[in-house]
Amino acid sequence: MNAMSQMSHETARYRAIFISDVHLGTRGCKAAYLLDFLRANEADYVYLIGDVIDCWRLSKGWFWPQSHNDVVQKLLRKARKGTQVIYVPGNHDEPLRDYDDHAFGDVMVMNEAVHETADGKRLLIIHGDAFDGIVRYAPWLAKLGDSAYTMALTLNHWFNRARIAFGYPYWSLSAWLKSRVKDAVKFIGDFENTVAAEAKRRGFDGVVCGHIHQAALKEIDGVIYANDGDWVESCTALVEHRDGRLEIIHWAQQNQLSMLPVKKLEAVPSL
């Protein structure tokens, strides 16, 4: 029995759960951790905010282990039992955008959604790639960046193997680069400000998005900006409590889960 199968949690019940950037179909996806999260947390609403299935990677080579199938089955089971599951596609699962406002079983596909919190705040739900100039105007460059991101995470894998061998904890090269490299910091800041400005322009109290693999919950110019992060590097989700309060859940950190895969690392997704 592995460490994951031994884990047990008291079930937490929220009003809403928001997750994105799962990238099912890649070895970088922490599907087992997400499955553990889904088993331990229930909600009236579950929003899947894009890049849940990585069609980019699957088009290059098929990878779909049982753990990835288990995540899909768990989400479908929640929907059958009464949870409202809304799938808002992103750029990596863009083919699903052709099915806007269609239901697949008990899962509704919407290119954007609106969620009203328990305390009356209206939140715009979007993946966020429409506000990424590279993805929008130079998709070929975005796919080229996918290779660079893959290389960074591969280096990160072996670097952390060495760190752990010498008794040091896991350290994310990708997260460090995002926080230190000037252009990356500017990109994240510009993205957050642009998305928040769009939500304000359209009369929303806030926005929930994904895309940049950078969990955040803050106020920007009087608007709530919430990014639920990803399930490749950080394993984070956004939740709404029964009173309308929003919170970022750092699942891997909270449960002291290793971010290093046991098996050989395969290419992992970029934005």
Side-chain angles (χ1 to χ4, degrees):
M1 184 178 293
N2 60 34
M4 285 299 304
S5 62
Q6 294 175 358
M7 292 183 65
S8 61
H9 309 277
E10 182 178 344
T11 301
R13 300 187 181 277
Y14 300 103
R15 190 165 181 272
I17 292 172
F18 308 83
I19 60 177
S20 73
D21 299 275
V22 178
H23 293 280
L24 293 170
T26 72
R27 292 187 189 272
C29 167
K30 304 299 188 295
Y33 295 174
L34 177 56
L35 183 61
D36 184 61
F37 172 82
L38 293 171
R39 285 170 173 163
N41 297 278
E42 297 291 344
D44 301 335
Y45 304 89
V46 171
Y47 290 91
L48 309 172
I49 315 180
D51 290 2
V52 175
I53 299 172
D54 197 320
C55 298
W56 286 10
R57 285 293 171 195
L58 290 173
S59 68
K60 296 178 181 179
W62 189 257
F63 176 77
W64 196 266
Q66 185 60 43
S67 61
H68 293 210
N69 197 56
D70 290 342
V71 167
V72 173
Q73 292 301 319
K74 184 62 177 176
L75 289 166
L76 293 174
R77 193 173 303 116
K78 283 181 180 292
R80 287 196 301 271
K81 290 183 176 181
T83 298
Q84 293 190 47
V85 179
I86 299 95
Y87 195 139
V88 179
N91 52 305
H92 280 252
D93 44 18
E94 189 172 19
L96 289 174
R97 287 177 169 162
D98 293 337
Y99 300 95
D100 182 31
D101 207 27
H102 283 67
F104 290 86
D106 299 301
V107 177
M108 176 62 70
V109 176
M110 305 177 72
N111 288 342
E112 65 177 43
V114 178
H115 176 77
E116 185 168 334
T117 64
D119 54 355
K121 293 184 177 66
R122 295 177 67 249
L123 305 178
L124 175 64
I125 313 298
I126 53 175
H127 179 62
D129 59 294
F131 301 93
D132 180 342
I134 293 176
V135 170
R136 187 173 182 181
Y137 298 111
W140 63 272
L141 188 57
K143 292 187 178 182
L144 181 63
D146 184 54
S147 298
Y149 184 73
T150 293
M151 182 178 297
L153 288 184
T154 301
L155 289 172
N156 184 68
H157 169 78
W158 294 112
F159 176 70
N160 275 285
R161 287 290 187 199
R163 280 178 62 86
I164 289 172
F166 284 100
Y168 293 101
Y170 179 86
W171 179 80
S172 174
L173 172 63
S174 176
W176 183 84
L177 288 172
K178 287 179 183 178
S179 67
R180 295 293 187 275
V181 177
K182 183 177 179 181
D183 288 344
V185 172
K186 183 178 185 300
F187 168 78
I188 291 170
D190 288 348
F191 176 87
E192 293 176 343
N193 291 332
T194 303
V195 171
E198 175 65 11
K200 184 173 184 177
R201 184 188 70 81
R202 294 176 58 180
F204 290 98
D205 299 299
V207 59
V208 182
C209 61
H211 185 58
I212 61 172
H213 295 204
Q214 190 84 2
L217 179 58
K218 63 179 76 173
E219 185 175 300
I220 301 176
D221 195 19
V223 174
I224 298 167
Y225 171 83
N227 192 307
D228 55 26
D230 67 276
W231 288 84
V232 175
E233 298 177 78
S234 60
C235 297
T236 54
L238 176 74
V239 298
E240 179 199 352
H241 292 268
R242 290 292 174 183
D243 60 0
R245 179 171 57 91
L246 299 174
E247 180 187 3
I248 298 288
I249 302 294
H250 297 265
W251 192 249
Q253 184 181 84
Q254 176 181 313
N255 293 284
Q256 298 182 322
L257 303 175
S258 171
M259 295 304 293
L260 287 176
V262 175
K263 296 181 180 180
K264 182 181 178 181
L265 187 71
E266 189 194 49
V268 289
S270 73
L271 305 182

